[in-house]
Amino acid sequence: LEFRRVLFRSTNKHIIFQSPTSAQKVPYSKMIGVTPYSDGIEIHRDGANAKRLTFQGFDSWFLMNVISQIANI
């Protein structure tokens, strides 16, 4: 699943990515890995048939810091 232009939102339990055509809500408890790229990230989710999610168009290091800080709460 790939989104091109993404709005990022964060709560204490989920990270939400919203594009003009769809939205994806990922619980932090289901995230097993995150791969940063120069222009986005790829999220690896827990689950038997879970697909990797790729998001582009924002500062991946900022998002990595947000995820890290929330994981430490």
Side-chain angles (χ1 to χ4, degrees):
L1 187 59
E2 184 176 339
F3 294 107
R4 292 287 178 188
R5 293 186 181 165
V6 176
L7 174 66
F8 162 73
R9 295 178 184 183
S10 176
T11 69
N12 61 337
K13 295 185 181 194
H14 297 90
I15 190 166
I16 303 161
F17 298 92
Q18 185 174 2
S19 75
T21 58
S22 65
Q24 188 73 37
K25 181 167 76 170
V26 182
Y28 291 113
S29 62
K30 296 290 185 183
M31 292 174 60
I32 59 172
V34 179
T35 305
Y37 297 106
S38 62
D39 64 342
I41 63 167
E42 182 176 75
I43 295 178
H44 308 270
R45 297 183 292 171
D46 186 19
N49 296 322
K51 294 181 181 179
R52 291 184 238 166
L53 303 172
T54 304
F55 301 99
Q56 294 178 312
F58 54 89
D59 183 356
S60 62
W61 295 110
F62 170 76
L63 186 54
M64 293 292 293
N65 285 330
V66 169
I67 293 170
S68 175
Q69 291 299 314
I70 291 174
N72 291 328
I73 293 177

